[in-house]
């Protein structure tokens, strides 16, 4: 029988609803017993007559743990794809359960170490709210004090913001512009069903509100030497850091060979196309392709932009952009990025040429 202390819910998800446990490949198993004695959760028992391990209490298995498979000398243990666990981690209720657990056990889990860091926490004001679509808004934040601003960040970086008056942890958002003299920055907020911060932002946030912000943070920044062609790939609001990098490159090297491939589920989900048109009009070397899985025949094609059917990997497979050496900068949901990385590996793209920024709920 499963042990209740091991089979308890995983971040709010009932353990019996999660398919995560080892499978022994009988033909490969040599019966050494390493998995049985190495698992402190008693997932296995040992059949001494057959000299084989047996998975007796699969619900005792720690979700995401693959230690027994990693240490099996015969490679005789399999687990479900880790993507099943990663998909659950992207659910708002799971992220909230983790957040609640951290806060509830703060006295136990708080680090006793004081680690110096250069991060700044400043106060910013909501200067503009632009409802880009029903599920995306662009929010412009301005410094409250002129001496405290995000004026010297590197395009591609992000900041963390706190909801006023809430005890929740901060939320991270990429800055969607290159640095401006006035210190203003723009964030792209995607509505998350049940999301604590976005529920407040879409329902109650207003111009004039003040937020605490920390940063700049992150290293999803331009690493390519001038002259190397660039391929920017974005999914959803992963456009934000890519847009900052693109604005930087258009200003510095407008003739550079650059491609932006931006994926959305349907044509109606794209936003800010006027911004992309303006960038394309300034950069002769820039091509912008909008990948959509559900095209609408009535959607007009914007100037200097083109539509393509399929997700970003589908479109990438049909185009010849990878025929020449390009540095790749990709941002978007984790599932999209994992599929993209697999595709690039299959195409033999040099890993050192691929730079990835991921975000979650």
């Amino acid at each position: 029988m499963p042990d209740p202390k091991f089979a308890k819910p995983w971040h709010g998800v009932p353990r019996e609803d999660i398919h995560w446990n080892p499978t022994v490949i009988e033909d490969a198993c040599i019966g050494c017993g390493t998995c049985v004695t190495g698992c402190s959760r008693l997932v296995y028992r040992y059949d001494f007559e057959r000299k084989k391990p047996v998975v007796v209490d699969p619900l005792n298995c720690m979700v995401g743990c693959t230690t027994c498979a990693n240490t099996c000398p015969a490679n005789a243990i399999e687990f479900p794809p880790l993507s099943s666990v990663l998909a659950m981690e992207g659910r708002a209720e799971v992220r909230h359960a983790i957040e609640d657990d951290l806060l509830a056990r703060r006295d136990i889990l708080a680090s006793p170490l004081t680690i110096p860091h250069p991060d700044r926490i400043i106060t910013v004001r909501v200067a503009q709210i632009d409802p880009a679509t029903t599920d995306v808004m662009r929010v412009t934040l301005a410094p409250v004090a002129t001496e405290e601003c995000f004026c010297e960040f590197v395009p591609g970086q992000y900041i963390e913001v706190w909801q006023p008056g809430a005890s929740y942890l901060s939320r991270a958002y990429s800055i969607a512009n290159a640095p401006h003299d006035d210190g203003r920055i723009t964030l792209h907020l995607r509505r998350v069903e049940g999301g604590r911060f976005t529920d407040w932002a879409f329902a109650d946030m207003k111009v004039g509100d003040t937020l605490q912000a920390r940063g700049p943070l992150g290293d999803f920044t331009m690493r390519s030497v001038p002259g190397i062609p660039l391929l920017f790939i974005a999914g959803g609001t992963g456009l934000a850091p890519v847009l900052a990098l693109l604005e930087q490159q258009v200003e510095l090297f407008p003739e550079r060979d650059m491609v932006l491939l931006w994926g959305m589920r349907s044509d109606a989900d794209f936003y800010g196309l006027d911004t992309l048109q303006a960038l394309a009009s300034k950069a002769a070397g820039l091509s912008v392709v909008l990948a959509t899985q559900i095209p609408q025949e009535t959607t007009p094609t914007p100037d200097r932009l083109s539509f393509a059917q399929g997700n970003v990997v589908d479109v990438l497979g049909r185009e010849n952009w990878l025929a020449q050496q390009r540095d790749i900068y990709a941002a978007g949901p984790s599932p999209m990025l994992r599929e993209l990385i697999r595709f690039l590996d299959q195409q033999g793209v040099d890993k050192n040429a691929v730079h990835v920024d991921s975000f979650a709920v």
Side-chain angles (χ1 to χ4, degrees):
M1 292 290 292
D3 188 322
K5 70 175 179 289
F6 296 141
K8 64 182 182 180
W10 181 81
H11 302 312
V13 181
R15 183 60 182 86
E16 56 270 21
D17 292 348
I18 304 172
H19 176 52
W20 185 266
N21 59 262
T23 299
V24 177
I25 305 171
E26 288 269 342
D27 291 344
C29 177
I30 60 177
C32 67
T34 301
C35 56
V36 182
T37 59
C39 179
S40 61
R41 289 175 162 244
L42 294 177
V43 172
Y44 299 94
R45 303 295 191 279
Y46 197 73
D47 185 333
F48 284 91
E49 290 189 6
R50 294 191 311 118
K51 295 184 179 179
K52 296 285 185 179
V54 180
V55 177
V56 173
D57 287 316
L59 296 184
N60 285 358
C61 187
M62 180 185 293
V63 176
C65 178
T66 60
T67 300
C68 57
N70 297 339
T71 58
C72 176
N75 295 318
I77 298 174
E78 289 183 340
F79 277 89
L82 190 59
S83 57
S84 62
V85 175
L86 296 176
M88 288 190 296
E89 289 180 341
R91 289 159 50 177
E93 63 269 26
V94 171
R95 300 303 307 164
H96 295 163
I98 295 171
E99 180 177 54
D100 291 343
D101 193 17
L102 279 172
L103 295 174
R105 296 193 288 152
R106 180 170 183 166
D107 56 335
I108 299 172
L109 301 177
S111 171
L113 305 176
T114 300
I115 302 176
H117 59 77
D119 304 344
R120 297 177 304 151
I121 298 179
I122 67 175
T123 302
V124 292
R125 175 178 56 86
V126 177
Q128 183 177 342
I129 298 175
D130 172 24
T133 70
T134 56
D135 292 320
V136 174
M137 67 164 63
R138 292 180 290 186
V139 179
T140 301
L141 303 177
V144 171
T146 54
E147 67 274 10
E148 288 191 339
C149 69
F150 293 116
C151 301
E152 296 182 353
F153 64 91
V154 180
Q157 290 189 298
Y158 70 92
I159 64 168
E160 295 178 350
V161 293
W162 283 265
Q163 176 182 338
S167 61
Y168 307 135
L169 301 177
S170 61
R171 300 301 194 257
Y173 288 97
S174 295
I175 303 173
N177 57 274
H180 296 164
D181 291 341
D182 60 7
R184 293 192 172 206
I185 59 173
T186 299
L187 310 180
H188 294 184
L189 274 58
R190 175 179 62 88
R191 187 196 302 270
V192 177
E193 185 176 354
R196 288 168 172 169
F197 183 83
T198 58
D199 276 356
W200 167 79
F202 278 79
D204 300 316
M205 185 175 65
K206 60 186 182 298
V207 171
D209 284 345
T210 57
L211 309 174
Q212 296 296 107
R214 178 171 66 184
L217 304 164
D219 58 2
F220 182 66
T221 55
M222 182 56 57
R223 308 294 181 85
S224 307
V225 299
I228 291 183
L230 302 176
L231 172 59
F232 297 102
I233 302 175
T237 50
L239 176 70
V242 167
L243 196 58
L245 291 170
L246 195 55
E247 180 184 337
Q248 175 197 51
Q249 293 304 301
V250 168
E251 182 68 25
L252 296 175
F253 310 108
E255 301 298 324
R256 190 172 196 166
D257 181 353
M258 297 181 288
V259 175
L260 168 61
L261 174 59
W262 181 22
M264 283 289 196
R265 180 170 174 76
S266 73
D267 294 359
D269 295 329
F270 290 107
Y271 60 90
L273 297 186
D274 54 339
T275 301
L276 294 180
Q277 286 176 297
L279 288 173
S281 68
K282 295 178 182 178
L286 173 61
S287 299
V288 179
V289 178
L290 309 175
T292 175
Q293 299 180 57
I294 307 177
Q296 299 176 2
E297 295 181 0
T298 58
T299 302
T301 301
D303 293 339
R304 299 297 308 274
L305 280 60
S306 61
F307 282 103
Q309 185 169 357
N311 61 33
V312 294
V313 173
D314 295 334
V315 176
L316 196 56
R318 295 197 302 265
E319 299 289 344
N320 65 348
W321 297 318
L322 300 179
Q324 65 180 129
Q325 180 183 349
R326 289 181 182 272
D327 282 0
I328 300 172
Y329 294 81
S334 296
M336 181 207 87
L337 292 177
R338 286 194 293 271
E339 182 182 358
L340 174 64
I341 293 301
R342 283 195 297 269
F343 175 79
L344 295 177
D345 284 344
Q346 292 168 358
Q347 300 302 306
V349 175
D350 183 359
K351 290 181 174 61
N352 294 321
V354 181
H355 310 279
V356 173
D357 186 43
S358 180
F359 63 86
V361 174

XYZ file of all heavy atoms in Angstrom, residues 219-283:
496
model
N 20.232 37.363 -18.680
C 21.339 37.430 -19.640
C 20.908 37.024 -21.049
O 21.727 36.587 -21.852
C 22.496 36.551 -19.173
C 22.102 35.092 -18.976
O 20.935 34.740 -19.244
O 22.963 34.302 -18.548
N 19.615 37.167 -21.358
C 19.154 36.925 -22.727
C 19.445 38.190 -23.536
O 18.563 38.975 -23.861
C 17.668 36.583 -22.728
C 17.101 36.278 -24.095
C 17.524 35.158 -24.806
C 16.135 37.088 -24.660
C 16.995 34.875 -26.062
C 15.594 36.810 -25.908
C 16.027 35.703 -26.610
N 20.705 38.400 -23.818
C 21.157 39.633 -24.451
C 21.945 39.319 -25.722
O 22.338 38.177 -25.958
C 22.039 40.430 -23.471
O 23.119 39.591 -23.013
C 21.234 40.893 -22.259
N 22.165 40.326 -26.514
C 22.847 40.129 -27.792
C 24.294 39.693 -27.580
O 25.074 40.368 -26.924
C 22.787 41.422 -28.614
C 23.433 41.332 -29.991
S 22.780 40.010 -31.063
C 21.025 40.417 -31.120
N 24.626 38.536 -28.131
C 25.985 37.993 -28.014
C 26.699 37.926 -29.364
O 27.863 37.535 -29.412
C 25.912 36.563 -27.441
C 25.099 36.426 -26.163
C 25.727 37.162 -24.999
N 24.974 37.004 -23.779
C 25.087 35.987 -22.945
N 25.919 35.001 -23.230
N 24.377 35.938 -21.839
N 26.005 38.256 -30.426
C 26.531 38.034 -31.773
C 27.399 39.199 -32.234
O 27.074 40.369 -31.978
C 25.378 37.838 -32.758
O 24.506 36.819 -32.304
N 28.461 38.865 -32.926
C 29.319 39.906 -33.491
C 28.614 40.525 -34.690
O 27.794 39.876 -35.352
C 30.681 39.328 -33.907
C 31.401 38.753 -32.706
C 30.520 38.266 -34.994
N 28.894 41.790 -34.985
C 28.277 42.431 -36.150
C 28.565 41.653 -37.429
O 29.661 41.120 -37.621
C 28.928 43.820 -36.169
C 29.347 44.061 -34.753
C 29.744 42.712 -34.225
N 27.565 41.599 -38.291
C 27.743 40.941 -39.581
C 27.131 39.566 -39.665
O 26.771 39.099 -40.760
N 26.995 38.856 -38.540
C 26.385 37.526 -38.574
C 24.865 37.679 -38.717
O 24.245 38.418 -37.951
C 26.714 36.734 -37.302
C 28.200 36.369 -37.284
C 25.874 35.474 -37.189
C 28.620 35.518 -36.118
N 24.253 37.005 -39.670
C 22.797 37.071 -39.812
C 22.102 36.552 -38.551
O 22.601 35.659 -37.864
C 22.516 36.171 -41.021
C 23.804 36.122 -41.770
C 24.879 36.198 -40.729
N 20.931 37.120 -38.271
C 20.206 36.785 -37.052
C 18.829 36.229 -37.379
O 18.178 36.646 -38.346
C 20.039 38.022 -36.164
C 21.324 38.736 -35.733
C 20.979 39.995 -34.928
C 22.212 37.807 -34.923
N 18.379 35.272 -36.554
C 17.027 34.734 -36.640
C 16.394 34.870 -35.264
O 16.848 34.258 -34.297
C 17.050 33.267 -37.072
C 15.706 32.512 -37.021
C 14.656 33.181 -37.910
C 15.902 31.045 -37.433
N 15.369 35.712 -35.165
C 14.632 35.887 -33.924
C 13.352 35.046 -34.009
O 12.630 35.104 -35.017
C 14.251 37.349 -33.703
C 15.429 38.272 -33.553
C 15.841 39.080 -34.600
C 16.124 38.342 -32.360
C 16.917 39.936 -34.467
C 17.210 39.194 -32.204
C 17.617 39.993 -33.261
N 13.079 34.285 -32.954
C 11.883 33.446 -32.917
C 11.139 33.738 -31.623
O 11.724 33.680 -30.533
C 12.237 31.952 -33.000
C 13.027 31.656 -34.277
C 10.976 31.096 -32.943
C 13.526 30.218 -34.377
N 9.850 34.038 -31.731
C 9.047 34.360 -30.553
C 7.733 33.605 -30.602
O 7.176 33.368 -31.673
C 8.791 35.864 -30.477
N 7.259 33.240 -29.425
C 5.941 32.640 -29.297
C 5.141 33.424 -28.283
O 5.607 33.682 -27.167
N 3.934 33.877 -28.646
C 3.104 34.635 -27.721
C 3.787 35.899 -27.256
O 4.418 36.625 -28.028
N 3.696 36.169 -25.938
C 4.324 37.372 -25.397
C 5.829 37.196 -25.231
O 6.497 38.097 -24.700
C 3.691 37.758 -24.047
O 3.659 36.610 -23.186
C 2.271 38.274 -24.241
N 6.366 36.072 -25.687
C 7.814 35.947 -25.815
C 8.354 36.969 -26.801
O 9.572 37.142 -26.928
N 7.447 37.670 -27.488
C 7.869 38.744 -28.381
C 8.590 39.854 -27.609
O 9.457 40.533 -28.169
C 6.653 39.336 -29.101
C 6.930 40.543 -30.001
C 7.722 40.117 -31.230
C 5.633 41.231 -30.407
N 8.236 40.052 -26.330
C 8.734 41.214 -25.580
C 10.258 41.319 -25.591
O 10.800 42.340 -26.053
C 8.182 41.185 -24.153
N 11.019 40.330 -25.088
C 12.477 40.491 -25.101
C 13.055 40.500 -26.509
O 14.067 41.164 -26.771
C 12.976 39.282 -24.306
C 11.914 38.249 -24.468
C 10.627 39.028 -24.498
N 12.423 39.757 -27.420
C 12.872 39.736 -28.813
C 12.700 41.121 -29.433
O 13.546 41.601 -30.190
C 12.097 38.668 -29.602
C 12.299 38.841 -31.103
C 12.537 37.271 -29.171
N 11.592 41.786 -29.097
C 11.332 43.127 -29.621
C 12.391 44.114 -29.147
O 12.839 44.984 -29.913
C 9.948 43.595 -29.168
C 9.325 44.792 -29.881
C 9.193 44.530 -31.375
C 7.956 45.095 -29.273
N 12.826 43.973 -27.887
C 13.883 44.839 -27.374
C 15.189 44.625 -28.129
O 15.882 45.586 -28.500
C 14.082 44.586 -25.879
N 15.533 43.360 -28.363
C 16.745 43.054 -29.127
C 16.637 43.574 -30.552
O 17.603 44.113 -31.114
C 16.978 41.542 -29.138
C 17.377 40.895 -27.812
C 17.337 39.375 -27.928
C 18.766 41.352 -27.395
N 15.469 43.417 -31.133
C 15.262 43.842 -32.513
C 15.366 45.362 -32.636
O 15.983 45.883 -33.570
C 13.891 43.350 -32.990
C 13.618 43.366 -34.494
C 14.678 42.590 -35.247
C 12.238 42.772 -34.761
N 14.774 46.072 -31.687
C 14.866 47.539 -31.703
C 16.320 47.987 -31.627
O 16.746 48.916 -32.337
C 14.077 48.121 -30.525
C 14.118 49.640 -30.454
C 13.409 50.186 -29.223
O 12.537 49.495 -28.670
O 13.755 51.322 -28.807
N 17.098 47.304 -30.792
C 18.515 47.624 -30.660
C 19.250 47.428 -31.989
O 20.028 48.290 -32.424
C 19.137 46.739 -29.582
C 20.638 46.876 -29.424
C 21.241 45.709 -28.646
O 20.990 44.546 -28.970
N 22.001 46.020 -27.618
N 19.018 46.290 -32.632
C 19.725 45.974 -33.867
C 19.304 46.870 -35.025
O 20.130 47.249 -35.867
C 19.518 44.497 -34.223
C 20.165 43.543 -33.240
C 21.643 43.800 -33.084
O 22.407 43.742 -34.042
N 22.073 44.107 -31.858
N 18.023 47.219 -35.089
C 17.553 48.108 -36.151
C 18.204 49.484 -36.016
O 18.554 50.129 -37.014
C 16.010 48.212 -36.116
C 15.525 49.355 -37.009
C 15.389 46.899 -36.559
N 18.390 49.914 -34.773
C 19.023 51.217 -34.544
C 20.504 51.188 -34.907
O 21.027 52.140 -35.502
C 18.853 51.610 -33.075
C 19.428 52.967 -32.714
C 18.661 54.115 -33.343
O 17.462 53.947 -33.661
O 19.280 55.178 -33.555
N 21.173 50.075 -34.576
C 22.622 49.994 -34.779
C 23.006 49.516 -36.174
O 23.953 50.039 -36.780
C 23.243 49.066 -33.736
C 23.152 49.498 -32.278
C 23.699 48.403 -31.375
C 23.910 50.801 -32.056
N 22.298 48.502 -36.667
C 22.683 47.864 -37.938
C 21.446 47.628 -38.817
O 21.024 46.486 -39.008
C 23.383 46.526 -37.673
C 24.497 46.603 -36.666
C 24.340 46.054 -35.400
C 25.699 47.218 -36.978
C 25.360 46.108 -34.465
C 26.730 47.283 -36.053
C 26.565 46.736 -34.787
N 20.845 48.680 -39.358
C 19.605 48.510 -40.129
C 19.754 47.659 -41.381
O 18.762 47.122 -41.879
C 19.215 49.954 -40.483
C 20.474 50.740 -40.364
C 21.259 50.088 -39.276
N 20.976 47.521 -41.900
C 21.189 46.726 -43.109
C 21.460 45.255 -42.800
O 21.597 44.440 -43.710
C 22.372 47.295 -43.908
C 22.194 48.742 -44.346
C 21.002 48.899 -45.288
O 20.769 47.984 -46.107
O 20.316 49.934 -45.197
N 21.523 44.899 -41.524
C 21.868 43.538 -41.141
C 20.798 42.561 -41.613
O 19.596 42.861 -41.597
C 22.002 43.458 -39.619
C 22.593 42.156 -39.112
C 22.867 42.250 -37.625
N 23.762 41.209 -37.168
C 24.373 41.202 -35.994
N 24.186 42.201 -35.139
N 25.180 40.218 -35.648
N 21.213 41.374 -42.016
C 20.288 40.314 -42.434
C 19.618 39.747 -41.180
O 20.245 39.061 -40.373
C 21.064 39.215 -43.164
C 20.167 38.083 -43.651
O 18.972 38.070 -43.321
O 20.678 37.194 -44.357
N 18.328 40.056 -41.022
C 17.586 39.636 -39.832
C 16.214 39.100 -40.230
O 15.573 39.633 -41.140
C 17.415 40.799 -38.859
C 18.708 41.355 -38.292
S 18.439 42.723 -37.116
C 17.921 44.044 -38.233
N 15.774 38.061 -39.523
C 14.441 37.503 -39.709
C 13.773 37.413 -38.346
O 14.387 36.952 -37.374
C 14.490 36.099 -40.347
C 13.083 35.490 -40.413
C 15.105 36.154 -41.732
N 12.523 37.860 -38.265
C 11.700 37.652 -37.073
C 10.575 36.698 -37.440
O 9.782 36.971 -38.353
C 11.106 38.964 -36.563
C 9.996 38.811 -35.501
C 10.519 38.112 -34.252
C 9.373 40.160 -35.157
N 10.502 35.574 -36.733
C 9.425 34.600 -36.887
C 8.641 34.600 -35.580
O 9.166 34.198 -34.541
C 9.994 33.212 -37.181
C 8.996 32.045 -37.232
C 7.938 32.275 -38.308
C 9.727 30.731 -37.467
N 7.385 35.055 -35.644
C 6.554 35.203 -34.440
C 5.327 34.317 -34.586
O 4.598 34.424 -35.565
C 6.167 36.665 -34.264
C 5.332 36.962 -33.047
C 5.229 36.221 -31.910
C 4.491 38.114 -32.857
N 4.380 36.839 -31.012
C 3.921 37.994 -31.565
C 4.171 39.215 -33.642
C 3.039 38.958 -31.062
C 3.302 40.176 -33.136
C 2.744 40.044 -31.856
N 5.124 33.431 -33.624
C 4.029 32.486 -33.705
C 2.889 32.793 -32.742
O 3.108 33.117 -31.575
N 1.659 32.660 -33.249
C 0.432 32.785 -32.451
C -0.544 31.715 -32.910
O -0.413 31.158 -33.999
C -0.205 34.163 -32.615
C 0.478 35.271 -31.853
S 0.205 35.126 -30.067
C 0.691 36.758 -29.521
N -1.542 31.448 -32.070
C -2.521 30.429 -32.437
C -3.381 30.871 -33.612
O -3.632 30.120 -34.533
C -3.410 30.077 -31.240
C -4.456 29.027 -31.545
C -5.142 28.527 -30.287
N -6.245 27.629 -30.586
C -6.119 26.368 -30.967
N -4.923 25.841 -31.089
N -7.173 25.621 -31.215
N -3.833 32.113 -33.615
C -4.671 32.606 -34.710
C -4.240 34.012 -35.094
O -3.531 34.702 -34.338
C -6.154 32.617 -34.316
O -6.425 33.656 -33.396
N -4.697 34.461 -36.268
C -4.346 35.795 -36.741
C -4.780 36.873 -35.750
O -4.098 37.884 -35.571
C -5.031 36.066 -38.089
C -4.507 35.170 -39.197
O -3.603 34.361 -38.918
O -4.999 35.273 -40.327
N -5.932 36.656 -35.112
C -6.483 37.664 -34.203
C -5.635 37.858 -32.954
O -5.809 38.849 -32.239
C -7.906 37.269 -33.804
N -4.717 36.933 -32.670
C -3.905 37.024 -31.456
C -2.706 37.957 -31.611
O -2.107 38.358 -30.606
C -3.406 35.631 -31.044
C -4.526 34.708 -30.637
O -5.532 35.210 -30.115
O -4.399 33.485 -30.849
N -2.333 38.297 -32.845
C -1.188 39.184 -33.033
C -1.545 40.601 -32.592
O -2.695 41.036 -32.704
C -0.762 39.198 -34.500
C -0.142 37.904 -34.956
C -0.840 37.038 -35.791
C 1.127 37.555 -34.547
C -0.282 35.843 -36.205
C 1.708 36.361 -34.954
C 0.998 35.498 -35.784
N -0.562 41.305 -32.103
C -0.771 42.666 -31.631
C 0.479 43.494 -31.933
O 1.555 42.960 -32.240
C -1.065 42.687 -30.125
C 0.052 42.112 -29.275
C 1.076 42.924 -28.782
C 0.110 40.759 -28.969
C 2.117 42.410 -28.020
C 1.141 40.227 -28.203
C 2.140 41.053 -27.724
O 3.167 40.540 -26.964
N 0.333 44.789 -31.863
C 1.485 45.666 -32.060
C 2.116 45.572 -33.427
O 3.324 45.810 -33.576
N 1.332 45.233 -34.435
C 1.914 45.086 -35.769
C 2.413 46.417 -36.321
O 3.316 46.435 -37.173
C 0.882 44.466 -36.721
C 0.406 43.049 -36.364
C -0.501 42.500 -37.451
C 1.592 42.113 -36.116
N 1.843 47.519 -35.828
C 2.336 48.827 -36.266
C 3.782 49.046 -35.820
O 4.587 49.644 -36.541
C 1.437 49.939 -35.732
C 1.263 49.882 -34.211
O 1.480 48.804 -33.627
O 0.891 50.912 -33.617
N 4.115 48.514 -34.642
C 5.497 48.617 -34.159
C 6.445 47.817 -35.046
O 7.538 48.281 -35.395
C 5.598 48.107 -32.707
O 4.735 48.888 -31.874
C 7.027 48.196 -32.197
N 6.019 46.612 -35.425
C 6.850 45.782 -36.297
C 6.978 46.411 -37.681
O 8.057 46.357 -38.296
C 6.256 44.382 -36.404
C 6.245 43.550 -35.119
C 5.625 42.184 -35.368
C 7.654 43.398 -34.567
N 5.889 46.998 -38.182
C 5.954 47.663 -39.473
C 6.948 48.829 -39.439
O 7.711 49.046 -40.389
C 4.572 48.169 -39.869
C 3.614 47.061 -40.310
C 2.227 47.600 -40.600
O 1.569 48.124 -39.708
N 1.801 47.486 -41.840
N 6.928 49.579 -38.338
C 7.840 50.719 -38.215
C 9.292 50.255 -38.192
O 10.159 50.866 -38.823
C 7.507 51.506 -36.943
N 9.562 49.164 -37.482
C 10.928 48.628 -37.453
C 11.348 48.134 -38.834
O 12.473 48.378 -39.283
C 11.022 47.490 -36.431
C 10.962 47.894 -34.959
C 10.895 46.652 -34.077
C 12.158 48.751 -34.574
N 10.437 47.433 -39.514
C 10.755 46.901 -40.840
C 11.003 48.025 -41.845
O 11.835 47.891 -42.751
C 9.626 45.990 -41.320
N 10.284 49.139 -41.683
C 10.477 50.261 -42.611
C 11.842 50.923 -42.433
O 12.350 51.570 -43.343
C 9.362 51.291 -42.412
O 9.476 51.914 -41.147
N 12.439 50.759 -41.258
C 13.745 51.351 -40.992
C 14.904 50.424 -41.358
O 16.050 50.875 -41.446
C 13.872 51.706 -39.508
C 12.918 52.773 -39.021
C 13.117 52.994 -37.519
C 12.158 54.018 -36.957
N 12.336 54.188 -35.490
N 14.599 49.121 -41.494
C 15.668 48.133 -41.671
C 15.451 47.356 -42.965
O 14.559 46.505 -43.050
C 15.715 47.176 -40.478
